[in-house]
Amino acid sequence: MSDLRTFVTLIKSFTRESLRNKIELFFTVFFPLVFLVIFGLFFGGEAGFTLVPERVGLNFETERFASLFEELESMELWELRSFNDARSMAEAVADNSILIGVSIFEDELRFFFSEGDPGRVSRAEMTRAAMSSAIEASVNDVREIVRLEKKPVTAGVYVASGIDYIISGVVAISILSAGMFAVITVFGRYRKAGVLRRIKVTPVKPAVFIIGSTVVRFLLGFLAVIILVFSAQIMFGVGFQMNWVIFVISVSVSIFGMMAIGMVLVLLFKQPETAENAAGILMMLMMFLSGVYFPVIFLPGWLQIVARFLPVTYVARLVRFAAGIETMGSLTFLAVSATFVTAGVVSLAVVGRGLLRAE
Amino acid sequence: MYRLFRLTGKMLKNEFRQFETIFWSLLFPLVLFFILNAIFGGMNAQGFSLSMGVVKEEKLVGFGEVIDSILDEVSGSEGPFIITEYANTEDALESLRQGREEIVLVIPRATSAKLTAAMTMRTLDIGAAQLDIYQVSGKQSSEMAAGIMEQIINSVNLEIRKAQDQEYRAFSISTEGLATDNQSGYNYTIYIFPGVTIMLILAVALFNTPLGLVFFRTNGTNKKLYTTPIRPLEYFTSMFLNWLLTMVLGFVLLMLFASLFYGVGSEILNLRFLLSVFFSMVVLLSFGMMISSFATKLSTATVFGQVSMQVLMFLGGLYFPVFTLPWSIRWFVYILPTTYLVELQRRFIGQSVSPIPFYVLILVPVAWAVFSTTVFAANFKKVMGYE
């Protein structure tokens, strides 16, 4: 009973402390929203990987193929624009009015595309290949011998779009941030400020302190994720078909798992600032390598292997499963959840008790 | 003057005693440069490995064996696909949904017969042999894999026709990448170098500058210094030089790292590029000083600094071009100083990605520098805690 009272008192104190600490509140709850807006805008619109028809410019340097424009347009694969000269078409490519431009000569197809954006270059490459095949097929009156019929299917419970994948990644990153930074704040900063030493001389049991201090951060992290999901639905119209039971389980176990990473950093680095910096690097690494913002297949082979061991890869999969974007086998779900919970509980128990052990 | 240099030296020493400065200004840019290069550096050059499930509803015979040849070709050592055969469509689609396959190709019954008919009875339009490709909607890698497969099939149709028609007109393909300096060509390592340079400048301008100004004011250091013969302007100048030197040190380290490990050299060792880096430092430092004018507390300075950092980094086009963003947000891109500064630097090393006129690349940052300095000057006494 006494432990319960202590626990409740600790919860109240930590809640007040968390709410008074505006920086912590900002970075836990509101900072992920900054990422949501930036990445939502970046990858959600026409800059994203979407299936809308690409805008292509055509410039005929020979009269022979003048009828090509209508023939290509009738295929309804691209949004075509005609240009009188290659220069104005190149300018249109440069200011992004069109993705690529093609000048058609007697025996040559000259393609213009913008350099610098890896995602855009990939789209331009695909469009270039499709366009050159279509032109050659049209000029030579090629009859299709083999035809490929594309059939989009859903991997989850609804037909997801590119933005749904991106936003689920932002949610995964915010879970990482909430879990990892929370324990660094609690154990790193409290250790430095001497709070842990003072707690040691009180009758508060280490386990009660650890649970009390982490529960508040856990709930704050959870609140941040909820705000993020609703904001994403309002701002970007993501079509998540959320299974709330799986969502609550997924987010809970994931925060636990990410807390384990934070605890390892607290253990490795004595100064909380150093631990926070190391966490910053880890976060950046995981953002780029875990397939959250672009497919892992883009990475070099050795980095693809690294990506398989990054926990955020699995957090993103859990979030996508909960949001109905992808499916996941029951065994996989249980295995990932159990791994995260075990890692979180063991690290909190071992490292936390170690930090609170009487000297 | 001696007093100024001495004070600057002490401040620099104090700056580098903090691990955060060493980390964010010196180490982090190197880590970021490495990560970005590792991911995007060889992105278009390397071969992707995409998994494809194949379901053959019949054994391919006769002309149908063309499909087998295509599959052998695309899954060979040079091909982009790794193929797994499935006994039925349901199992293959389940693997697709579970993420084990990027696409599933289903070869329906009677494909061999249709292919044979289409290839032998050329005068009759009996239709093409249809293959079904299943892709996961919204999943980039799956849509890309389906696109690649579609191109391969298109090429097959062209090749068949080419073999049958001696008057077939084949086009030679040439590409022209659009950058300001076409002679140098696009190179991701050089392209990203200004992005990381601006990031390290931002780290000092948005973290060290406002935090340093607010910290020294709130902890009373300024008041103590004002009791000495040091004048506020002298004190501020030494602070400014200290941040500038921190940026220069970070930049030199990044240059060394890039030239030692990535062979970047002559492209960035040109005077115009180096001057544009210095220009960026001055403009963004004034931006950081302006932020400190709005922040009365350390916490406010941290929040302002972090939010500005993310916005200036990502919407300023440091890592990805931002000129494809929808106009609802693109107007904002055109307001930010980093958009112009990074483009200015890229233009001097032949990696330009924007058609913005050169004079605008100078005018907008200058306008920002003048505006920021005016705001800071108007709040000088408040910011420096000078009574």
Side-chain angles (χ1 to χ4, degrees), chain A residues 29-49:
Chain A
V29 181
F30 299 107
F31 199 52
L33 289 175
V34 176
F35 274 101
L36 174 78
V37 173
I38 291 175
F39 285 104
L41 288 171
F42 246 104
F43 299 105
E46 62 177 295
F49 195 95

Side-chain angles (χ1 to χ4, degrees), chain A residues 115-131:
Chain A
E115 292 179 324
D117 179 349
R120 199 169 154 80
V121 170
S122 306
R123 281 165 54 209
E125 273 294 312
M126 299 278 279
T127 310
R128 184 195 60 75
M131 181 56 79

Side-chain angles (χ1 to χ4, degrees), chain A residues 126 150, chain B residues 103 135 142-152:
Chain A
M126 299 278 279
K150 279 187 188 172
Chain B
I103 47 171
Q135 66 183 65
S142 183
E143 289 177 347
M144 180 183 278
I148 292 172
M149 201 56 206
E150 191 178 34
Q151 295 316 317
I152 291 166

Side-chain angles (χ1 to χ4, degrees), chain B residues 7 11 14 212-228 230 235 239 384-385:
Chain B
L7 190 58
M11 284 202 163
N14 181 53
L213 281 168
V214 176
F215 179 74
F216 284 138
R217 186 182 67 226
T218 50
N219 80 346
T221 307
N222 290 3
K223 276 185 184 162
K224 285 175 199 159
L225 273 167
Y226 295 147
T227 59
T228 68
I230 297 166
Y235 173 44
M239 273 179 143
M384 301 301 286

